[in-house]
Amino acid sequence: MSIHQAASRFGSLALLLGGSALPASAQQAVTLDELSVEGEASPGAGRTAIAVPFGVAAPQGSAPSVIEHSVGQVATAIGRDNTIADRPATSVGSVLANSPGVTVRQGNGGRDVIISIRGNNARSTGVIKNTVVLEDGFILTQPDGASRFDLTDPRAYGRIDVFRGPQSPLFGNYATGGAIAFRTRTGREIDGYEIGSDAGSFGYLSNTFTVGKASGPFEISLFASDVRSNGYQDHASFDTQTINLLASYTPTPDNRFTLKVINNTLDTNLAARSSLAQYRINPYQRGCTAAATAAPGCTTFSLFRNGAFGATVPVTADEGGFGRKDRRTIVAARWEHDIDAFTTWRTQLGFDERNFNQPFYTNAFLGSFPAWNFLTDVTRRGDLFGLPAVGYVALAYNTIDIHTPTYNLTPFGASRLGALIGVQDAGQSNLGGRARLELALSDRWTGVLGISAESTAINGRNLAYSYTASGTTRTVSNADRTFLNVAPELALVYRPDDAWAFRGRVATGYTTPAASNLFVTPAGLPGNNTQLQTQENLGFDLGADWSPTETLRLSVTGFYEFFRNELVSQSPGAGLQSYTFNAPASEHRGVEVGADWAFAPGWRGVLAYTFDDQIYTRYTEQLSAGSLTRQFDRAGNQIPGVPAHQLLARIGYDVPAGPLAGLGAFVETVVQGDFYIDNANLLKAPGYAIVNANVHYATELTSGYAKRLSLYLEVRNLFDTTYAASVQNLANSISGTTGLQNGAGMLATTTGSVFAGAPRNIVGGMRLAF
């Protein structure tokens, strides 16, 4: 895009921001909802839920955030029915699976999950990438692009919005896949306090407490939980505690102050990721307490006897004491000021620290990543050239300080540190501006123009140490990189009547490498990988939404995205760090379908389906072994880690009236197709289909202090299917003797890849509101 074009767009927005205000009736005409509203809000409440201002409820008449009412986006609103309120929601993954375009994989311990939108994070090995995460309007993605869902207890939330497709014009860096916006329940929604307890198989126990109230200019909601489990695998127990506070103070009608505090601690053992061959023998890694007496199929890791070099000793996850002890703390505040009846100015500042101690497999990773996020924006509803319009401009800055020492683990004593093998010190910052114009071209047509421009700077150093009997070698890798990215967006929406909406969208996204990506070599060791480039994508969306009645909603979206320098991560083998490379050109294309149909009194069906086909269109991979090097053309191959088919289907019945009103049940199935896990497309991870069944009951209490009682019982994986819940990509290799590419058999025996999903388990619980 030329500078002249960019200036022209910003100029139009400036006209709007300084232009005339609309009368109240015209303002209402352009307060538009998101266009694709599938998910879990009840059929009659879907649009109402979208109209609630983000975060703390604002006074009537205040301008809602553009993020809350973004026009032309492909977005899903997931409410609490059949996802949180009447079932044991043990992780946010089971909730987000209700959105088309979302795939879920088990993460590293506890309730950690890897969420991917349109397959854009399917190759991540431990954190959320290519997706911006927000909560109550505050950014939870750190400036290096990393998010984790350890801190996310689903019980805290009233709604979750999933934005699909390139979103950098609205959210900036790292939004090539989309964005996820959580909204905690407000004090007005809670209006009292609640206690809840869930218990189930494998020692699972969750206790929660929620309190909320609005009084005069004050509103507060506080959520706290303690969750623990023995785990269904050997060495997989965990406990985690979460506190989530949202509070507001409205001293005058045109000034609002919001405080957000989140603190999460996690202490989890970490089971061993097996090879596909081991998974087929011993999927849950049982009988693996000690390497000397390990059952068939147990995964072991070779640790240096002296912690530095030479002879190794095999250990199991139990013997090695593999695990994670992490803490995440977020404190943020926002000031909203209504400049006039049509203009709102928001400024927010947040502190976010990720602190971790992660000894697992062959290394221990320690670190503290303190970060700051600043955002100020102005939203104005007015007219432009006589047409109703919404204008939005924002300035954002964030920065993170990275310090990570890495150690070898020793075989004697759980989690005992050996030699220091790397120290990474880096700083990363992002500074950018965003602008957006939503223009009501007529009573049926709405147009959207958006753009963002952002500069990213990474400066750091990595020290790598290697050891031999003759001494220590130190290698220094320095990074001093800057990236400048521009992302435009254009969307058109046509509403011929109240039942139909047709939409087309062209948008771009960008994700810069993180500092950590620059310092892990293809060998999986600390070193120099500083040549990485920005990942960019250009996406085309075409879709339709049909809602002829309050009881039926159907949405279909086709997408085609062109990627340049796609960032792909994979594992070179057991105990080694995953490394990242650029694939020069690739394409992602697919179809998303969402449906919600209350087809008879009390009956309801929900569907979320995704077809996602991703291929390399230009990528030559170079592999080396010994003195031999070979190149392989991967063009036309499937990008590993991405299932072509993902489905959630649910049918349920809730007694609508009579003495059994409040009693309900549903059955759902979650289906995921198989997918390749290597660039050569030699080996596939198996697909699966599991079935869950739920019965629940809720009633209003008319006597005593309690107001409402909710009970629920759920059988998960009803048919006890053995399935692979998480399979990490593996690096191909060649023979050091012949130079030929090694086959699928060698990949199938490469450890460090597979976590099995949970076998049949039963979880029940209750919630009492006062």
Side-chain angles (χ1 to χ4, degrees):
M1 173 180 296
S2 70
I3 295 177
H4 175 75
Q5 290 172 314
S8 176
R9 289 188 181 181
F10 279 100
S12 297
L13 283 161
L15 284 173
L16 170 63
L17 292 169
S20 63
L22 286 171
S25 60
Q27 181 188 10
Q28 294 296 320
V30 297
T31 304
L32 303 176
D33 295 344
E34 283 98 332
L35 296 174
S36 179
V37 186
E38 309 99 18
E40 296 307 297
S42 62
R47 295 183 181 84
T48 302
I50 291 293
V52 177
F54 226 96
V56 175
Q60 291 293 324
S62 66
S65 165
V66 167
I67 293 175
E68 173 69 10
H69 287 278
S70 55
V71 176
Q73 304 291 329
V74 184
T76 305
I78 304 173
R80 291 176 61 85
D81 293 346
N82 292 165
T83 60
I84 300 173
D86 47 15
R87 69 186 303 181
T90 54
S91 81
V92 73
S94 61
V95 180
L96 290 173
N98 289 269
S99 171
V102 171
T103 54
V104 180
R105 286 172 34 210
Q106 175 61 42
N108 289 328
R111 62 188 180 199
D112 187 33
V113 290
I114 305 300
I115 302 299
S116 175
I117 302 176
R118 292 184 176 175
N120 282 289
N121 192 50
R123 295 163 292 281
S124 177
T125 56
V127 296
I128 308 302
K129 292 282 191 176
N130 303 319
T131 302
V132 171
V133 180
L134 307 93
E135 185 166 315
D136 298 319
F138 295 101
I139 303 294
L140 300 191
T141 296
Q142 287 204 304
D144 63 347
S147 307
R148 289 202 94 122
F149 286 136
D150 294 308
L151 80 166
T152 306
D153 192 315
R155 293 283 185 216
Y157 302 106
R159 193 182 80 242
I160 306 172
D161 295 338
V162 180
F163 295 79
R164 312 197 298 274
Q167 298 290 340
S168 290
L170 190 55
F171 297 103
N173 199 0
Y174 310 118
T176 48
I180 301 173
F182 294 86
R183 188 183 75 86
T184 54
R185 299 167 68 197
T186 66
R188 286 182 173 91
E189 292 170 333
I190 300 165
D191 194 28
Y193 67 94
E194 299 175 356
I195 57 173
S197 185
D198 296 351
S201 304
F202 312 114
Y204 178 80
L205 178 64
S206 170
N207 293 305
T208 62
F209 175 76
T210 308
V211 61
K213 197 72 176 178
S215 178
F218 298 98
E219 182 172 8
I220 187 170
S221 67
L222 174 67
F223 172 86
S225 69
D226 177 279
V227 183
R228 55 192 64 220
S229 173
N230 297 328
Y232 58 88
Q233 296 173 286
D234 273 7
H235 198 72
S237 63
F238 73 91
D239 68 86
T240 181
Q241 293 75 40
T242 302
I243 295 175
N244 195 323
L245 170 71
L246 180 66
S248 74
Y249 171 56
T250 308
T252 65
D254 55 0
N255 286 286
R256 295 172 295 282
F257 298 90
T258 303
L259 174 66
K260 183 72 183 179
V261 179
I262 306 173
N263 189 76
N264 172 258
T265 58
L266 170 69
D267 188 349
T268 179
N269 291 328
L270 193 56
R273 284 185 180 268
S274 64
S275 67
L276 270 174
Q278 291 168 325
Y279 157 78
R280 294 186 175 103
I281 298 170
N282 190 353
Y284 305 114
Q285 292 292 289
R286 291 173 180 165
C288 301
T289 302
T293 59
C298 286
T299 302
T300 61
F301 297 85
S302 297
L303 304 184
F304 290 118
R305 181 179 293 274
N306 64 5
F309 65 93
T312 61
V313 177
V315 300
T316 64
D318 246 0
E319 292 174 312
F322 301 158
R324 294 173 50 208
K325 291 181 174 64
D326 294 5
R327 176 181 56 81
R328 183 83 179 272
T329 301
I330 297 169
V331 180
R334 176 170 56 238
W335 171 46
E336 301 177 58
H337 174 65
D338 294 331
I339 297 172
D340 56 38
F342 310 101
T343 309
T344 297
W345 175 27
R346 296 175 178 85
T347 299
Q348 62 187 45
L349 177 67
F351 173 75
D352 180 352
E353 184 189 20
R354 192 165 90 239
N355 188 287
F356 55 91
N357 180 354
Q358 301 177 350
F360 61 87
Y361 305 160
T362 61
N363 303 131
F365 309 93
L366 288 72
S368 175
F369 289 10
W372 291 91
N373 275 288
F374 172 80
L375 174 70
T376 185
D377 62 43
V378 176
T379 303
R380 180 173 176 83
R381 284 157 172 77
D383 59 2
L384 183 64
F385 307 123
L387 299 174
V390 178
Y392 171 79
V393 293
L395 176 68
Y397 174 76
N398 50 67
T399 183
I400 187 170
D401 183 29
I402 297 168
H403 175 69
T404 309
T406 303
Y407 297 84
N408 283 329
L409 287 177
T410 66
F412 307 110
S415 306
R416 183 180 174 188
L417 300 183
L420 178 69
I421 62 170
V423 179
Q424 182 185 134
D425 287 290
Q428 183 164 348
S429 61
N430 304 279
L431 173 64
R434 303 162 202 164
R436 183 179 178 87
L437 173 65
E438 300 172 0
L439 191 64
L441 303 172
S442 71
D443 59 347
R444 300 183 185 274
W445 287 91
T446 302
V448 178
L449 287 172
I451 189 171
S452 71
E454 190 165 5
S455 174
T456 298
I458 303 175
N459 185 279
R461 182 182 71 167
N462 189 83
L463 303 178
Y465 300 89
S466 60
Y467 303 89
T468 64
S470 58
T472 302
T473 301
R474 189 183 81 158
T475 304
V476 180
S477 301
N478 293 300
D480 188 3
R481 300 288 308 276
T482 57
F483 307 87
L484 179 61
N485 296 289
V486 178
E489 173 187 13
L490 171 65
L492 278 174
V493 181
Y494 174 59
R495 294 179 180 268
D497 53 42
D498 290 340
W500 284 97
F502 299 93
R503 48 190 159 72
R505 180 173 181 262
V506 182
T508 50
Y510 52 87
T511 292
T512 58
S516 59
N517 301 144
L518 303 180
F519 297 123
V520 180
T521 70
L525 297 172
N528 192 330
N529 196 30
T530 57
Q531 78 288 344
L532 290 175
Q533 301 298 315
T534 297
Q535 169 182 285
E536 300 173 305
N537 66 332
L538 170 64
F540 297 85
D541 290 335
L542 189 63
D545 303 293
W546 183 51
S547 184
T549 68
E550 288 294 313
T551 61
L552 174 61
R553 290 179 288 128
L554 174 66
S555 176
V556 179
T557 302
F559 64 89
Y560 209 122
E561 298 176 8
F562 298 88
F563 277 74
R564 185 173 65 178
N565 292 322
E566 183 169 6
L567 293 167
V568 181
S569 297
Q570 61 188 27
S571 170
L576 298 171
Q577 300 180 52
S578 293
Y579 71 94
T580 302
F581 63 91
N582 286 117
S586 53
E587 296 178 6
H588 304 183
R589 54 273 180 105
V591 177
E592 300 162 330
V593 180
D596 191 332
W597 185 21
F599 53 89
W603 288 93
R604 182 185 178 200
V606 172
L607 173 74
Y609 170 75
T610 306
F611 169 72
D612 192 355
D613 180 39
Q614 300 191 7
I615 61 169
Y616 293 122
T617 54
R618 183 163 53 90
Y619 173 44
T620 299
E621 184 174 24
Q622 180 172 295
L623 302 176
S624 299
S627 61
L628 300 179
T629 298
R630 297 290 185 270
Q631 292 186 334
F632 298 89
D633 184 6
R634 306 304 192 195
N637 285 10
Q638 298 289 315
I639 298 177
V642 182
H645 301 280
Q646 177 78 30
L647 169 73
L648 179 141
R650 178 167 54 247
I651 186 169
Y653 177 74
D654 287 275
V655 179
L660 295 180
L663 179 65
F666 63 78
V667 177
E668 70 179 12
T669 183
V670 178
V671 181
Q672 187 175 107
D674 57 10
F675 55 89
Y676 287 109
I677 61 173
D678 67 300
N679 286 327
N681 290 179
L682 300 178
L683 184 65
K684 277 189 172 183
Y688 62 84
I690 60 172
V691 175
N692 305 319
N694 171 287
V695 60
H696 52 268
Y697 176 72
T699 183
E700 302 294 331
L701 303 176
T702 57
S703 61
Y705 293 105
K707 296 187 298 186
R708 183 177 178 84
L709 173 67
S710 299
L711 303 170
Y712 38 83
L713 181 70
E714 187 159 314
V715 182
R716 294 176 169 170
N717 195 358
L718 181 65
F719 300 112
D720 202 19
T721 300
T722 300
Y723 67 101
S726 176
V727 184
Q728 290 189 354
N729 293 347
L730 296 173
N732 294 105
S733 61
I734 62 172
S735 167
T737 303
T738 65
L740 297 177
Q741 184 169 254
N742 293 316
M746 180 168 287
L747 288 169
T749 58
T750 302
T751 58
S753 179
V754 184
F755 276 150
R760 181 191 297 121
N761 61 100
I762 302 173
V763 186
M766 58 80 66
R767 192 173 69 258
L768 195 60
F770 296 87

